[in-house]
Amino acid sequence: MTGNDFTFTTLDGETHHLSDFYGTVVVLDCMAVNCQPCMRQMFELKKIAENYSANDVTILSIDVWVSSGETASMVQDTINAFKNQLNMTLDWTFGLDDAQGTIQNTFAPEGVPTLYIFDKKGNIYYSHVGYEDYSVLASTLDAVLSNG
Amino acid sequence: MKDKQKLLLFVIAISFIIPTIQTAIAAEPILGEVTLNPEHPTKLSKITFDVNVVGDDIKTVKIYVLECNETTGICQNSYDNQTMQHIGGSLYRANITLDFAPASYITYKVYVENNIGDITPLPNKQGVKVYLSTGSSNGNNSTNNNGNGSPGFEVVLFIVAVCVTGAIILLGRKRFR
């Protein structure tokens, strides 16, 4: 991990880095499937997915409690539950931290959810520990997008 | 007649087979209701979780406790996958000391791991949510005789008791005279 860059694994097992998404504003959602506020946060992230172009904003929901036993299949079950029970497609990138909790220790040591907004160059523009409303996230996104 | 005998044999055979199938199905671990002591825990307190688990293939019984703050929506997993101690019979126990000061509620999940690694969770997949009391109890459910919250109440009772006793003694002496 260099600077703000970090590495995560997608549910398909592919390795990605934050730097892969440079050029778009990135919303990093450090979450856990066992965390109820994290599930509530999904509704706010869905609004971002609906109201911002994927060319401008990338959403990354990373399960940072892998070291506590959370797995890709648990994350997939959660995505399926949103789809089947709420008819809501969580159509953004989901991934997992490593077993050592590298992302958790660096970006979410105080708990989950922890949210970050990175500008297009990967600099941290905003961070918040705990659930956050769409309105706050949207105004922050508008500000960082207007900065280029 | 032969048909009747065949039918009888068939019924007898079925009556042996069905219980065997039922036993095989029943071998899957069954989790009882989880009880908390104290029933209404406070933040930063110690909680004892008890659960009865019945089944043939139980490797470990584990508990997952999450502490969260309702207002900020922050959660911490202070106790993840802690093995519950087998107390005896079907009873399993875990003592958990909460350590997230801003917590306003906890969620817990209990699950059983069998010898091939499969798990049987409680029916509630998202975990059972318990709001933390705001009292200052240290989590001990035993009766603490901390008074009734009225300062000096015991003193008043004592004075009344002394007066009543004195009055009874005085009245008794007058009668004997």
Side-chain angles (χ1 to χ4, degrees), chain B residues 97-111:
Chain B
T97 304
L98 304 179
D99 65 359
F100 183 44
S104 60
Y105 70 91
I106 60 167
T107 56
Y108 66 86
K109 285 201 290 189
V110 172
Y111 58 91

Side-chain angles (χ1 to χ4, degrees), chain B residues 156-173:
Chain B
V156 174
L157 271 180
F158 178 74
I159 292 167
V160 170
V162 167
C163 291
V164 169
T165 311
I168 289 168
I169 291 169
L170 283 173
L171 281 172
R173 280 183 180 175

